[in-house]
């Protein structure tokens, strides 16, 4: 059994509604745009292989917020070295979610030459937890229960293509993302409290 | 303090005085004194695995309100071009880069020469200016690094400092 990429994004948003999501170019960005009604997340329209590093930077800048790196499997193959950096610095607010379908969808669906086994790899690294899931219930459980930093490898339906384009306008993405960050920071200042409205957000 | 350490401390101090709060870097012999000074000044140090990763990390950190600096050998610039072009420049993120130059004056390793020679042109092609440091006593460090940080923090541009071979902190026999 496997789920749709958009369903994965929807489960992520339901489990962590106040999370900042960094979405890689391709299926990850399209799925998140659809599931969040084009919410103010950090969609990368290029820089394939940089989304995990970018998410690590965001996570360390705002340790009070849950940060999700939403990646494709081809994307993470280009930057799997970043998992070692996550193991080195171990941000307690970072969750990496990998959409695994075994294809480079953005370039036409060419197959990955090998099963990347990301959950096995991440699970072997010190300080990371990992799970491979193939249905929404197990995905939600993993998102809520795995100690962080965590990697969740979600097996998604092969060849599934979400609707919206991954070709975003960078200036608009940046403006909306930074405005959303400032708004939540101002909210914390107004209330004198951390924004913790979801029990899943630690 | 020797001359080579003087410039390194001055660069580290200029970055810290300019508000830099985290350094993403790959190890390098000429950078070492700068890295030590940054750590002494309380800047968070992030030794990552590849230069492209440093650029992505710093982009995320900057977008979320931080003040990162990226330090690398210029040979690593080649690994970073797509992240610089399609993330940092495309998204209008200002980042300061500190490049330890290889392949230029006095280079003994022929494999380092092509990227070293191309570094200013590669950066120029992306619209990123690069400003050299050459004084081993650090006399040009505060003004140059400070100027680059102003470009980054106030003009919102990405700009680079090139640590030239005249500074010392060299490559030894290798």
């Amino acid at each position: 059994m496997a789920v749709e990429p958009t369903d994965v994004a929807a489960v992520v948003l339901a489990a962590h509604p106040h999370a900042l999501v960094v979405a890689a170019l391709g299926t990850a960005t399209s799925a998140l745009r659809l599931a969040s009604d084009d919410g103010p997340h950090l969609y990368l329209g290029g820089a394939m292989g940089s989304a995990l590093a970018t998410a690590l930077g965001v996570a360390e800048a705002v340790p009070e917020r849950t940060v999700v790196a939403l990646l494709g499997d081809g994307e993470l193959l280009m930057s799997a070295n970043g998992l070692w950096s996550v193991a080195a610095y171990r941000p307690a607010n970072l969750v990496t979610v990998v959409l695994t379908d075994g294809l480079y969808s953005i370039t036409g669906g060419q197959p990955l030459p090998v099963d990347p086994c990301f959950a096995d790899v991440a699970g072997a690294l010190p300080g990371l937890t990992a799970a491979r899931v193939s249905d929404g219930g197990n995905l939600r459980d993993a998102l809520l229960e795995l100690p962080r930093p965590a990697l969740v490898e979600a097996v998604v339906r092969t060849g599934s293509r979400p609707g919206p384009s991954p070709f975003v306008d960078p200036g608009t993405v940046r403006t909306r993302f930074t405005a959303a960050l400032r708004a939540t920071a101002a909210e914390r200042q107004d209330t004198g409290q951390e924004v913790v409205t979801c029990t899943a957000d630690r | 303090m020797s001359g080579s350490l003087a410039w390194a401390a001055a660069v580290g101090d200029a970055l810290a005085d300019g508000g830099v709060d985290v350094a993403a870097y790959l190890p390098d012999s000429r950078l070492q004194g700068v890295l030590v000074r940054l750590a002494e000044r309380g800047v968070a140090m992030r030794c990552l695995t590849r230069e492209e990763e440093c650029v992505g990390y710093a982009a995320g950190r900057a977008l979320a309100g931080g003040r990162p600096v990226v330090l690398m050998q210029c040979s690593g610039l080649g690994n970073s071009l797509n992240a610089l072009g399609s993330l940092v420049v495309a998204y209008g993120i200002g980042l300061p880069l500190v490049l330890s130059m290889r392949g230029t004056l006095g280079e003994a390793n022929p494999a380092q020469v092509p990227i070293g020679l191309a570094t200013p042109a590669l950066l120029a092609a992306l619209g990123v200016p690069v400003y050299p440091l050459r004084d081993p006593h650090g006399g040009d460090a505060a003004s140059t690094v400070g100027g680059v940080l102003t470009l980054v923090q106030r003009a919102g541009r990405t700009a680079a400092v090139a640590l030239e071979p005249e500074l010392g902190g060299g490559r030894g026999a290798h």
Side-chain angles (χ1 to χ4, degrees):
Chain A
M1 194 167 77
V3 294
E4 298 292 332
T6 306
D7 295 335
V8 173
V11 171
V12 167
L13 294 170
H16 300 297
H18 300 285
L20 302 166
V21 185
V22 179
L25 171 64
T27 301
T29 279
S30 292
L32 183 63
R33 291 188 70 189
L34 188 60
S36 69
D37 195 19
D38 215 11
H41 299 290
L42 183 49
Y43 309 103
L44 300 194
M48 280 205 77
S50 291
L52 178 58
T54 304
L56 178 60
V58 172
E60 292 211 312
V62 285
E64 72 277 14
R65 299 287 298 273
T66 293
V67 175
V68 176
L70 185 62
L71 315 174
D73 46 4
E75 159 86 19
L76 187 53
L77 271 188
M78 296 182 189
S79 57
N81 50 312
L83 294 173
W84 277 255
S85 297
V86 175
Y89 301 110
R90 303 184 189 183
N93 58 333
L94 178 63
V95 180
T96 299
V97 177
V98 192
L99 305 168
T100 292
D101 66 356
L103 301 174
Y104 290 102
S105 298
I106 188 67
T107 56
Q110 299 88 345
L112 272 63
V114 64
D115 181 344
C117 302
F118 287 125
D120 292 335
V121 172
L125 291 171
L128 267 71
T129 64
R132 182 164 168 139
V133 300
S134 56
D135 66 70
N138 287 334
L139 171 62
R140 179 179 169 77
D141 290 347
L143 290 169
L144 295 178
E145 295 172 7
L146 283 178
R148 301 174 192 171
L151 180 142
V152 181
E153 185 175 18
V155 180
V156 297
R157 198 178 309 281
T158 299
S160 180
R161 296 176 65 89
S165 171
F167 301 155
V168 294
D169 177 65
T172 301
V173 169
R174 186 191 71 171
T175 300
R176 294 172 68 223
F177 179 72
T178 54
L181 262 174
R182 280 198 301 273
T184 51
E187 188 180 341
R188 281 198 301 276
Q189 205 162 32
D190 287 347
T191 61
Q193 296 176 344
E194 297 293 329
V195 177
V196 183
T197 53
C198 172
T199 54
D201 275 342
R202 300 186 300 178
Chain B
M1 178 179 289
S2 73
S4 63
L5 291 178
W7 72 261
V11 170
D13 283 340
L15 290 167
D17 291 344
V20 164
D21 59 8
V22 61
Y25 69 95
L26 269 289
D28 171 70
S29 58
R30 188 179 294 133
L31 285 174
Q32 182 61 23
V34 179
L35 300 173
V36 168
R37 188 60 155 200
L38 288 169
E40 289 173 350
R41 292 291 304 267
V43 173
M45 305 302 292
R46 294 291 180 268
C47 181
L48 302 179
T49 60
R50 189 170 166 87
E51 293 83 356
E52 178 184 38
E53 187 190 12
C54 293
V55 171
Y57 175 90
R61 193 109 185 195
L63 281 171
R67 287 189 168 184
V69 63
V70 173
L71 306 99
M72 65 174 81
Q73 277 192 18
C74 69
S75 45
L77 182 67
N79 294 338
S80 310
L81 289 176
N82 190 42
L84 280 170
S86 67
L87 178 55
V88 173
V89 174
Y91 283 70
I93 303 165
L95 284 185
L97 311 175
V98 177
L99 303 176
S100 173
M101 295 302 293
R102 300 290 314 259
T104 58
L105 190 66
E107 178 64 59
N109 181 354
Q112 293 287 353
V113 173
I115 291 289
L117 292 179
T119 290
L122 292 171
L123 289 168
L126 292 173
V128 177
V130 56
Y131 302 96
L133 285 186
R134 293 195 170 89
D135 181 359
H137 301 291
D140 52 1
S143 60
T144 303
V145 173
V148 161
L149 290 179
T150 298
L151 271 172
V152 170
Q153 295 168 1
R154 298 182 63 182
R157 298 298 299 259
T158 290
V161 175
L163 305 180
E164 299 289 352
E166 294 91 329
L167 293 170
R171 307 291 172 198
H174 307 291

